[in-house]
Amino acid sequence: DSGVTQTPKHLITATGQRVTLRCSPRSGDLSVYWYQQSLDQGLQFLIQYYNGEERAKGNILERFSAQQFPDLHSELNLSSLELGDSALYFCASSASGDTHAAAFFGQGTRLTVV
Amino acid sequence: ILNVEQSPQSLHVQEGDSTNFTCSFPSSNFYALHWYRWETAKSPEALFVMTLNGDEKKKGRISATLNTKEGYSYLYIKGSQPEDSATYLCAPPYGQNFVFGPGTRLSVLP
């Protein structure tokens, strides 16, 4: 158990809908990362937050947004969903958010858009 | 976008064999390099964080070396066991963040 909690584990929704994925980092970790793994693709970095502030942005679509709250949990909002958004979404956390700190991954949320 | 290469893409070895794989990355602006193990139906798990040229880390039968000047890292597994079957990902730095390579998928046959 990495200490990172993601909910829900599975989500099935229709095209055009909006969903929210939730992540609780390890106790004491200030940084949260979001990654997407589509079929036959590697882990694609979406966005990083550190202590409530956006720190880095990757290949995140404009239809997607995220935030980190004062209690350090994070939410990834996906809107106007398309079939191609079906993927496994991972959240990871690290203590400092810099590249010297290992990231600890949650179990992921599997999103299926039908 | 950072170009990270891992080779081979996949590997099948017999139990007891030793093996190694490579991660190649641009050598400029180096901050750190991570190795992760990702077992099927689980989440990636950190193996090593390497920060110095010439760094060598070891965890049980698994070890890794780093050459930042030439932009590569090797991961070695001595005496592979079936439980070593997983995808091994390297993650070199990109700005203040890091990005994951495509991985090497290792299958250890009993």
Side-chain angles (χ1 to χ4, degrees), chain B residues 13-90:
Chain B
V13 301
Q14 291 293 137
E15 183 176 355
D17 287 352
S18 293
T19 186
N20 66 84
F21 2 104
T22 306
C23 171
S24 302
F25 54 91
S27 57
S28 62
N29 298 319
F30 181 82
Y31 298 105
L33 182 128
H34 299 214
W35 279 101
Y36 288 80
R37 175 169 58 200
W38 192 0
E39 295 179 66
T40 302
K42 295 188 178 180
S43 52
E45 177 186 354
L47 285 173
F48 305 115
V49 176
M50 311 181 77
T51 57
L52 298 172
N53 183 42
D55 212 359
E56 184 169 341
K57 301 261 181 168
K58 189 173 181 181
K59 185 177 182 179
R61 293 177 291 98
I62 304 176
S63 61
T65 61
L66 178 64
N67 184 324
T68 59
K69 292 183 179 178
E70 297 183 32
Y72 65 83
S73 177
Y74 293 139
L75 188 80
Y76 301 90
I77 302 179
K78 184 178 178 181
S80 302
Q81 299 296 308
E83 58 264 31
D84 296 328
S85 297
T87 296
Y88 291 83
L89 303 169
C90 71

Side-chain angles (χ1 to χ4, degrees), chain A residues 6 21 35-36 46 64 76 78 85 87-90 108-109 111:
Chain A
Q6 286 188 249
L21 311 184
Y35 290 87
Q36 177 194 56
L46 295 178
F64 296 1
L76 179 66
L78 315 176
D85 297 327
L88 190 53
Y89 291 85
F90 281 107
T109 292
L111 173 67

Side-chain angles (χ1 to χ4, degrees), chain A residues 2-6 23-35 45-57 66-75 90-106, chain B residues 34 36 96-98:
Chain A
S2 67
V4 179
T5 303
Q6 286 188 249
C23 170
S24 293
R26 287 191 323 159
S27 178
D29 283 359
L30 298 178
S31 188
V32 168
Y33 306 81
W34 286 98
Y35 290 87
F45 169 65
L46 295 178
I47 198 163
Q48 179 197 6
Y49 281 83
Y50 177 79
N51 203 21
E53 299 290 326
E54 181 184 306
R55 173 170 275 194
K57 189 176 268 192
Q67 55 183 328
Q68 186 179 28
F69 295 87
D71 67 352
L72 302 177
H73 91 270
S74 179
E75 292 181 355
F90 281 107
C91 164
S93 73
S94 71
S96 63
D98 66 33
T99 53
H100 291 73
F104 294 83
F105 282 77
Chain B
H34 299 214
Y36 288 80
Q96 292 187 32
N97 212 315
F98 50 87

Side-chain angles (χ1 to χ4, degrees), chain A residues 9-25:
Chain A
K9 285 189 170 57
H10 302 276
L11 196 50
I12 301 175
T13 190
T15 54
Q17 295 298 305
R18 172 190 167 94
V19 296
T20 297
L21 311 184
R22 183 188 167 98
C23 170
S24 293

